[in-house]
Amino acid sequence: MARRSRLDDSANLITVTVLNSTRIPRPRLRGQVALITGATRGIGLAIARALAAESCHLILSARDEKSLAKIGRELASPGIKILAHPCDVRDPHSVDALFRATRRQFKRLDILINNAGIAHPNLPIEKLPLPVWKDVLETNLTGTFLVTQAALAIMKRGSTIVNNLSIAANRVFAGSAAYNASKHGALGLTNTLREELRPRGIRVIALLPGATDTDIWTTLWPQAPRKTMMSPKTVAEAVVQAILLPPNATVESLEILPTAGTL
């Protein structure tokens, strides 16, 4: 609401006109550059949408090129630059290609969301195939390492890294040995990275969401009670709020659970 005053000299009166106005909140991350891996579905897609709503420029990455193109079109809007680039985070050459494209278009990176991850069917260790073990570890742990290592070359003071780890990073679930091990390892990597980057002023957030209604449950537990789960949007909103804190404050561990608790 605005007030406008006018002095009427003939009567020495001040006339005040009250103008009604609706203020549109200014996007809080306008002009910043964010890279999201695993950006075509689930929590990664929800975070991409939430960052786009704050006018972030986006680098969207995943293995499915068609889905990437579709999401890029969905999020495109005036004032937002979007680079949709396929990447297999397990492959160093693919990661290198992603960052060559990133440097060509943006030169820098302000926000990194390491979200790409996979699960495996519920199996005891004695029946867990070695190829499955390797694939999960290479995606969830090595992939986070490779992308982060490449990103640090173009991240400066005030930047933020968010690693999506799941509550499996500090709990264990029988039948999910490879998934548990990958997430425990990724938490160790995240905590080490935070200490190394403190002098550089780069924040590192460990995101530990509980049961969230995403496609990963099709692999983990097809019969899981999805009605009790959180939505990816809920998790994404919490992530954006953590990123928006002043540079001298860090949510080091962001654990979000359904009110009903673990499944």
Side-chain angles (χ1 to χ4, degrees):
M1 183 177 293
R3 295 169 62 89
R4 187 168 61 200
S5 300
R6 178 174 60 83
L7 178 64
D8 187 335
D9 293 330
S10 62
N12 292 324
L13 296 176
I14 296 176
T15 302
V16 178
T17 304
V18 179
L19 304 176
N20 291 321
S21 63
T22 301
R23 289 186 178 181
I24 300 175
R26 183 179 183 276
R28 295 165 290 180
L29 295 172
R30 184 185 299 278
Q32 293 203 29
V33 180
L35 187 155
I36 305 103
T37 65
T40 56
R41 56 186 180 176
I43 293 173
L45 175 56
I47 292 175
R49 286 170 172 159
L51 291 174
E54 296 292 345
S55 290
C56 251
H57 301 310
L58 299 176
I59 303 146
L60 308 174
S61 176
R63 286 186 281 183
D64 187 336
E65 292 189 45
K66 289 184 178 179
S67 295
L68 269 179
K70 179 181 177 182
I71 299 304
R73 289 192 298 270
E74 174 196 326
L75 298 181
S77 66
I80 298 179
K81 297 177 182 177
I82 294 180
L83 170 63
H85 196 286
C87 179
D88 183 344
V89 298
R90 302 169 299 180
D91 179 1
H93 300 293
S94 184
V95 172
D96 286 345
L98 170 63
F99 280 90
R100 283 197 300 272
T102 297
R103 286 191 295 271
R104 279 196 302 268
Q105 184 154 339
F106 295 106
K107 312 298 183 187
R108 74 177 203 279
L109 187 63
D110 302 299
I111 301 166
L112 170 63
I113 310 291
N114 279 310
N115 173 76
I118 60 172
H120 61 88
N122 192 281
L123 291 169
I125 291 173
E126 61 186 344
K127 295 183 179 180
L128 184 63
L130 179 59
V132 172
W133 169 273
K134 287 183 174 181
D135 196 23
V136 173
L137 269 290
E138 287 174 2
T139 303
N140 298 355
L141 179 54
T142 304
T144 298
F145 166 77
L146 291 172
V147 172
T148 302
Q149 189 177 60
L152 288 175
I154 54 173
M155 299 186 81
K156 297 182 179 181
R157 182 173 295 275
S159 300
T160 305
I161 297 172
V162 180
N163 290 341
N164 187 4
L165 306 176
S166 150
I167 58 165
N170 58 17
R171 292 166 171 78
V172 293
F173 298 96
S176 296
Y179 189 73
N180 291 335
S182 70
K183 295 301 185 178
H184 276 69
L187 178 58
L189 173 64
T190 300
N191 290 339
T192 303
L193 183 67
R194 185 183 304 113
E195 297 307 315
E196 292 182 357
L197 294 180
R198 285 190 197 278
R200 291 175 56 179
I202 297 176
R203 303 181 299 179
V204 180
I205 300 171
L207 173 61
L208 300 114
T212 306
D213 188 7
T214 67
D215 291 346
I216 203 168
W217 290 100
T218 304
T219 302
L220 276 174
W221 182 11
Q223 294 78 33
R226 292 183 178 243
K227 289 184 179 180
T228 66
M229 297 181 184
M230 301 179 294
S231 71
K233 182 180 179 181
T234 296
V235 178
E237 289 173 350
V239 169
V240 170
Q241 290 304 314
I243 292 171
L244 284 168
L245 287 177
N248 65 347
T250 306
V251 177
E252 296 190 353
S253 179
L254 180 54
E255 182 170 316
I256 316 170
L257 296 175
T259 303
T262 55
L263 300 182

